[in-house]
Amino acid sequence: MSGNRTGDAVLTGDAVPTGDAVPAGSAVLIRDVRVYGEGEPTDVLVTGGIVAAIGPDAAAGAGEDAEILDGAGQVLLPGFVDLHTHLREPGREDTETIDSGSAAAALGGYTAVFAMANTSPVADSAVVTDHVWRRGQEVGLVDVHPVGAVTVGLAGEQLAEMATMASGVGRVRMFSDDGHCVHDPLIMRRALEYSSALDVLVAQHAEEPRLTVGSVAHEGPTAARLGLTGWPRAAEESIVARDALLARDAGARVHICHASTAGTVELLKWARSQGISITAEVTPHHLLLDDSRLETYDAVNRVNPPLREASDVEALRRGLAEGVIDCVATDHAPHAEQDKCCEFAAARPGMLGLETALSIVVSTMLRPGLLDWRGVAKVMSERPAEIVGLDDQGRPIEVGEPANLVLVDPDTEWTVHGPELASVANNTPYESMTLPAKVTATVLRGRITARDGKVRPKGDR
Ligand code: DOR
Ligand code: ZN
């Protein structure tokens, strides 16, 4: 892997690939597009940040300076919302910044992302969470919502000041120690109790740490043969079951990050059947990849939770199709070359995801007929926005609604090359793979943030 824009970021502060392909304008007219991939192609006019008209007469309302997006052969969806992104700022700007991560998000079709708290310093105070929100707004490509830590320093011992973060400028709506499990049941119980009072969401990285000491790969025949320390399914499932019960007793909601096993899908079904308020996400990589990828010992495949077996992948796809798993979240996790191009067990876990998520969902869910485009909108936009209570995102494409939109070419293919992605880091597990479908434009509150593989230039946001 070669660091692509790291040098630029350090020397000039300009980590975002910019281009002159995105002209300015006060209105956007999307022509001949199929909304949700349904019906006849039509025109969609966006003015003042909202959807102003849909239909054959929409063009009549566009002024001369309207930006035109040619939607022929394309599908229009609500902008994607990612509940699980690691942007590494503050602290590891050598791997990702809010600037470069926002570019990756816009290019991937996202209009809102939730930036996890495992930064340095940890986002366990309003000083950090407010900074993340402000910096995201300054960059202006995507709404970067800060996730607050549940516990001080992610240490799992003392609750962070959730109320202060929730009432700050960054208005934290989601709390998570992601990267770590809130493993102490009493701390988790208190966090859930507070979350109800504050009307915020607690998202759990479900991993019983006593069961994953030294674990680097899914516990099964592949890890055994390769001599890698196994990570049992029960490490995840025992926490999912426990937290469902804690949520029930607290009368609270709990969200499960990156569900990875067939057993978790069964537990979610059971918990719902009991009326427990539990939601869950699955990552694109757990929908596509399984632990047979580890045969090469290439650490690009190391991730927490680990890639599981083909039967788990199948159950996750079915769970997402049936709504047992609510949504797709990327767990976009950039890492430096020295932390990935090394011995498998020494590598950091995590993989890039923002720019490839849609293509993986198309390949694993849409093409096999498990979801249609409405279904894709549901799992990538509507449900994530609902889960976290964003009222301006994941909205139906209707007149009067906020214009957070993504235009997708469903029939194209593209080949992934890490150094060509907008992220500073290059650790994509899809290197050299040819994937279906591509985002061709993203619109945030009526402004085009990305178009034809380029983000809107800085001076024009
Ligand atoms: O693989 C992972 N990487 N899983 C996590 O939970 C954290 C993430 C990271 O921060 O790199
Ligand atoms: Zn996690």
Side-chain angles (χ1 to χ4, degrees), residues 113-415:
V113 299
F114 283 74
M116 280 295 176
N118 62 341
T119 49
S120 179
V122 169
D124 59 3
S125 73
V127 173
V128 180
T129 55
D130 288 353
H131 165 77
V132 168
W133 169 255
R134 283 202 185 97
R135 182 74 198 118
Q137 291 301 295
E138 253 168 48
V139 171
L141 291 173
V142 61
D143 286 345
V144 179
H145 292 277
V147 176
V150 174
T151 68
V152 175
L154 307 175
E157 286 165 6
Q158 187 190 340
L159 280 184
E161 292 194 1
M162 294 167 66
T164 315
M165 288 186 267
S167 60
V169 177
R171 228 196 118 189
V172 175
R173 301 153 184 275
M174 189 202 293
F175 290 86
S176 181
D177 275 4
D178 183 69
H180 302 265
C181 182
V182 182
H183 62 91
D184 181 327
L186 185 58
I187 299 270
M188 187 60 180
R189 179 182 176 168
R190 294 281 177 261
L192 289 169
E193 287 165 353
Y194 279 117
S195 75
S196 291
L198 296 171
D199 193 23
V200 295
L201 183 72
V202 173
Q204 177 68 292
H205 168 113
E207 174 190 348
E208 167 47 59
R210 294 281 292 152
L211 292 176
T212 58
V213 176
S215 303
V216 298
H218 167 66
E219 184 181 85
T222 303
R225 191 155 33 77
L226 298 177
L228 299 171
T229 305
W231 174 310
R233 292 186 180 94
E236 173 170 314
E237 293 159 4
S238 57
I239 295 292
V240 172
R242 183 200 76 175
D243 287 357
L245 299 176
L246 292 176
R248 178 193 67 189
D249 288 1
R253 298 189 295 147
V254 67
H255 180 75
I256 303 299
C257 296
H258 41 54
S260 74
T261 76
T264 291
V265 176
E266 292 308 309
L267 285 165
L268 291 167
K269 269 188 216 163
W270 171 83
R272 296 260 176 78
S273 75
Q274 302 298 303
I276 295 170
S277 192
I278 189 166
T279 53
E281 65 190 35
V282 62
T283 69
H285 47 272
H286 288 108
L287 288 173
L288 181 68
L289 309 175
D290 62 42
D291 68 347
S292 64
R293 293 269 303 195
L294 306 190
E295 300 285 349
T296 61
Y297 289 98
D298 186 341
V300 80
N301 297 306
R302 181 158 178 210
V303 66
N304 291 352
L307 301 179
R308 301 286 184 184
E309 295 182 34
S311 53
D312 296 287
V313 171
E314 192 53 43
L316 293 168
R317 290 184 188 185
R318 237 185 3 255
L320 184 64
E322 292 169 0
V324 179
I325 295 173
D326 297 83
C327 63
V328 172
T330 65
D331 198 1
H332 177 84
H335 285 297
E337 187 171 352
Q338 67 270 22
D339 292 323
K340 287 306 256 184
C341 295
C342 59
E343 188 195 339
F344 194 88
R348 290 196 189 220
M351 33 185 69
L352 300 184
L354 284 168
E355 287 181 71
T356 45
L358 171 76
S359 294
I360 303 299
V361 170
V362 168
S363 146
T364 59
M365 302 297 295
L366 188 108
R367 293 262 165 107
L370 289 166
L371 290 178
D372 57 12
W373 285 109
R374 282 260 172 200
V376 172
K378 186 168 175 205
V379 301
M380 295 193 69
S381 310
E382 292 162 16
R383 281 301 288 145
E386 277 167 16
I387 286 169
V388 86
L390 285 184
D391 49 20
D392 61 336
Q393 297 277 350
R395 301 290 306 162
I397 303 175
E398 288 171 8
V399 172
E401 293 287 355
N404 296 312
L405 302 166
V406 56
L407 191 59
V408 173
D409 183 342
D411 298 321
T412 194
E413 290 188 333
W414 62 294
T415 303

